[in-house]
């Protein structure tokens, strides 16, 4: 059933680029910089980098290998390997179901900014209070949410993902180049060098359990881990392609984009605000508030701003496509519905469920579970709770049910050697599961006020 239509990637680079197109998105450009700003810059950066090369590496290898071994997407893959773990596949599906609606709300914000710049109103975007009053509105953000959902669904129904992915191969390097240009400009502004130091220099006193949990959640989110996506991509990968080096390339690419996005945003916020704590903690709005003021002061800034938001829009779209496709493909497999019918249903769901996240910044701001606005709440539940739990289960499954030797054998085919196999075994058996549980427990305890570090 799920094995049909596995066309497969024609080459290793095809796999790497498609997985990178899913991985590089709002997580890198919007989410990473605001977390880095909020959690003390360099301290967050260092913790994040350590997690990428340890936990991120081990879990991504595991997921891609499970997908390639079974040739199935996540629900079928877990079931085929061990019936008792089939629920992991379902849990993996639940996460995109929570993420896609609020992801699309932010996609809508990006669409609005893109059109604002392209229609020559860039100065409005840079004016004080523009962002707050825009997201606090009712009709406008819902309208742009709808536009984003419709565009995503059209691409998924038309089955032109391949075209979009090809386009993103060209657009992604342009995005990187643009981030470098904007960063260089930002760093030459008065006060930005202090911001640069803040962004890269770790400060021990800023280290906390909450920071590690935020970095861990960001890692899963950014690398599209712990939600079945990489299992699905792995199922399309050819046996003779080198799995380990492919995973390394995705990691490097994804982390580079996040690092550059932070470099573009964090030192500038620092410079504009003089390191003011409130500005550094402005959370989800950071990209939408800081960058427009950078563009405003930059020669040709409106053109750069327009181009920037077009590229971010594409990055968000490719990620939203893979999220939507994941949900739709399960429904199509199980219920045998037509693609157009399924995507219409998923689109309606995403739009309707996205509305509360959008209203949470305005008329529904009084609804604040755990003291968070609704969008931040959904983001927290999926990233800081559900993903670590699923990542933990995946480690346990790979280490003690399937056994690392099975994963290693999957990597080592056609004469390929798994260079980091010892490291992998230790990570997946001990360090990753113990680390994830420790981080989860400490943050829950801190949340309950039992203790905090
Ligand atoms: N990794 C994406 C990002 O960083 O924006 C988010 C994401 C996209 C997660 C697609 C999962 C996914 F299937």
């Amino acid at each position: 059933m799920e094995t049909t239509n596995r066309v497969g990637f024609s080459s290793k680079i095809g796999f790497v680029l498609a997985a990178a197109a899913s991985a590089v998105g709002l997580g890198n450009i919007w989410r990473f910089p605001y977390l880095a700003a909020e959690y003390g810059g360099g301290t967050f950066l260092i913790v994040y980098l350590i997690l990428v090369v340890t936990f991120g590496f081990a879990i991504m290898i595991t997921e891609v290998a499970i997908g390639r071994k079974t040739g199935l997407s996540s629900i079928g893959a877990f079931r085929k390997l061990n019936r008792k773990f089939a629920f992991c596949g379902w849990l993996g599906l639940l996460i995109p179901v929570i993420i896609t609606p609020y992801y699309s709300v932010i996609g809508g914000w990006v669409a609005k900014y893109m059109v604002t710049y392209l229609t020559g109103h860039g100065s409005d975007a840079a004016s004080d209070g523009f962002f707050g009053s825009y997201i606090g509105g009712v009709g406008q953000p819902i309208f742009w949410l709808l536009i984003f959902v419709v565009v995503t669904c059209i691409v998924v129904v038309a089955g032109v993902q391949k075209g979009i992915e090809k386009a993103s191969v060209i657009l992604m390097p342009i995005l990187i180049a643009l981030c470098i240009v904007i960063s260089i400009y930002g760093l030459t502004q008065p006060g930005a060098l202090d911001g640069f130091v803040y962004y890269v220099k770790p400060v021990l006193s800023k280290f906390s359990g909450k920071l590690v949990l935020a970095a861990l959640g960001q890692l899963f989110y950014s690398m599209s881990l712990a939600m079945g996506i990489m299992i699905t991509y792995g199922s399309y990968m050819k046996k003779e392609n080198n799995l380990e080096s492919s995973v390394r390339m995705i990691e490097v690419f994804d982390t580079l984009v996040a690092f550059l996005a932070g470099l573009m945003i964090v030192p500038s916020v620092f410079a504009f605000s003089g390191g003011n704590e409130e500005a550094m903690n402005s959370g989800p709005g950071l990209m939408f508030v800081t960058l427009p003021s950078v563009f405003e002061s930059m020669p040709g800034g409106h053109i750069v701003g327009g181009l920037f938001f077009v590229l971010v829009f594409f990055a968000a779209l490719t990620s939203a496509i893979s999220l939507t496709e994941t949900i739709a493909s399960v429904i199509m497999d199980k219920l045998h519905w037509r693609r157009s019918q399924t995507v219409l249903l998923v689109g309606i769901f995403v739009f309707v469920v996205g509305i509360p996240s959008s209203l949470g910044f305005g008329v529904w701001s009084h609804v604040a579970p755990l003291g968070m606005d609704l969008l931040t709440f959904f983001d927290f539940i999926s990233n800081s709770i559900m993903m670590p739990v699923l990542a933990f289960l995946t480690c346990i499954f790979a280490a003690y049910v399937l056994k690392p030797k099975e994963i290693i054998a999957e990597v080592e085919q056609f004469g390929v050697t798994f260079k980091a196999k010892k490291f992998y075994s230790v990570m997946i058996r001990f360090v990753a599961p113990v680390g994830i549980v420790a981080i989860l427990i400490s943050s829950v305890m801190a949340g309950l006020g039992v203790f905090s570090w």
Side-chain angles (χ1 to χ4, degrees):
M1 171 178 65
E2 286 104 332
T3 36
T4 51
N5 297 326
R6 298 264 154 204
V7 184
F9 294 111
S10 48
S11 61
K12 173 176 155 188
I13 198 71
F15 166 78
V16 171
L17 289 173
S22 160
V24 175
L26 293 171
N28 309 61
I29 306 163
W30 157 77
R31 203 172 185 276
F32 182 85
Y34 88 70
L35 288 177
E38 190 170 326
Y39 285 100
T43 319
F44 184 84
L45 192 63
I46 283 287
V47 171
Y48 183 77
L49 291 178
I50 294 173
L51 292 178
V52 168
V53 295
T54 53
F55 292 26
F57 173 72
I59 296 169
M60 195 182 259
I61 288 271
T62 306
E63 292 199 359
V64 178
I66 288 178
R68 191 169 78 171
K69 186 175 167 60
T70 55
L72 297 172
S73 51
S74 96
I75 295 181
F78 276 108
R79 191 181 335 101
K80 181 170 177 188
L81 295 171
N82 188 310
R83 284 202 152 265
K84 286 199 193 112
F85 276 76
F87 74 95
C88 287
W90 289 105
L91 190 58
L93 177 67
L94 192 59
I95 296 172
V97 167
I98 297 179
I99 291 184
T100 319
Y102 84 76
Y103 201 86
S104 303
V105 171
I106 303 154
W109 297 351
V110 173
K112 161 78 184 178
Y113 271 65
M114 175 175 82
V115 170
T116 304
Y117 273 94
L118 295 182
T119 52
H121 297 96
S123 300
D124 293 353
S127 63
D128 269 356
F130 178 85
F131 179 69
S133 71
Y134 167 66
I135 63 167
V138 176
Q140 278 252 355
I142 293 181
F143 169 75
W144 287 105
L145 160 67
L146 181 65
I147 298 288
F148 188 80
V149 174
V150 168
V151 173
T152 307
C153 290
I154 289 176
V155 176
V156 177
V157 170
V160 290
Q161 281 101 304
K162 289 262 154 58
I164 296 275
E165 261 153 28
K166 285 226 177 76
S168 69
V169 171
I170 303 166
L171 295 174
M172 211 97 77
I174 303 182
L175 178 68
I176 295 188
L178 199 64
C179 289
I180 295 175
V181 171
I182 301 171
S183 305
I184 293 176
Y185 176 79
L187 289 173
T188 57
Q189 298 308 296
L193 280 182
D194 291 337
F196 176 73
V197 172
Y198 175 84
Y199 181 50
V200 295
K201 188 174 163 205
V203 177
L204 207 60
S205 62
K206 300 240 167 91
F207 187 79
S208 70
K210 228 175 126 203
L211 178 153
V212 186
L213 185 75
L216 191 68
Q218 172 61 18
L219 168 77
F220 298 142
Y221 187 91
S222 185
M223 288 175 49
S224 301
L225 294 176
M227 47 187 129
I229 305 266
M230 286 299 155
I231 299 186
T232 308
Y233 278 103
S235 72
Y236 292 112
M237 189 185 195
K238 283 211 172 108
K239 295 275 185 194
E240 55 268 38
N241 289 156
N242 188 324
L243 203 154
E244 184 184 16
S245 63
S246 304
V247 165
R248 284 260 183 252
M249 282 167 81
I250 301 166
E251 266 185 339
V252 169
F253 201 68
D254 191 67
T255 310
L256 181 71
V257 177
F259 174 76
L260 287 174
L263 189 62
M264 179 172 69
I265 296 176
V266 181
S268 296
V269 199
F270 198 91
F272 278 110
S273 68
N276 174 286
E277 241 188 61
E278 204 181 314
M280 302 307 279
N281 284 343
S282 55
L286 200 58
M287 176 177 102
F288 297 94
V289 177
T290 313
L291 281 179
S293 28
V294 175
F295 296 143
E296 205 50 31
S297 73
M298 191 175 187
H302 287 187
I303 298 169
V304 176
L307 189 58
F308 174 79
F309 281 107
V310 168
L311 295 169
V312 177
F313 180 77
F314 262 89
L317 191 64
T318 50
S319 295
I321 290 167
S322 77
L323 284 161
T324 307
E325 176 74 36
T326 311
I327 305 172
S329 64
V330 173
I331 301 177
M332 289 189 289
D333 280 348
K334 295 286 161 204
L335 304 178
H336 303 289
W337 285 11
R338 281 204 320 268
R339 173 170 276 269
S340 51
Q341 198 183 2
T342 315
V343 174
L344 179 67
L345 180 90
V346 176
I348 293 174
F349 169 83
V350 169
F351 172 62
V352 172
V353 177
I355 291 175
S357 289
S358 177
L359 295 181
F361 293 101
V363 290
W364 282 11
S365 57
H366 57 282
V367 188
L370 302 179
M372 299 171 190
D373 65 78
L374 284 166
L375 189 148
T376 311
F377 174 73
F378 287 127
D379 184 80
F380 172 79
I381 293 289
S382 48
N383 289 278
S384 296
I385 309 286
M386 295 175 67
M387 287 185 184
V389 169
L390 183 56
F392 169 76
L393 291 170
T394 307
C395 292
I396 297 296
F397 178 73
Y400 301 105
V401 180
L402 194 60
K403 304 278 161 44
K405 65 172 192 307
E406 292 279 329
I407 301 283
I408 293 169
E410 181 56 43
V411 178
E412 296 196 316
Q413 296 190 66
F414 292 92
V416 172
T417 350
F418 185 174
K419 294 199 196 101
K421 65 180 157 206
K422 288 223 175 71
F423 174 75
Y424 170 79
S425 277
V426 174
M427 278 307 303
I428 204 78
R429 280 190 298 171
F430 310 113
V431 185
V434 172
I436 293 171
V437 168
I439 294 166
L440 261 173
I441 293 182
S442 76
S443 73
V444 170
M445 304 262 262
L448 296 175
V450 179
F451 89 121
S452 67
W453 52 290

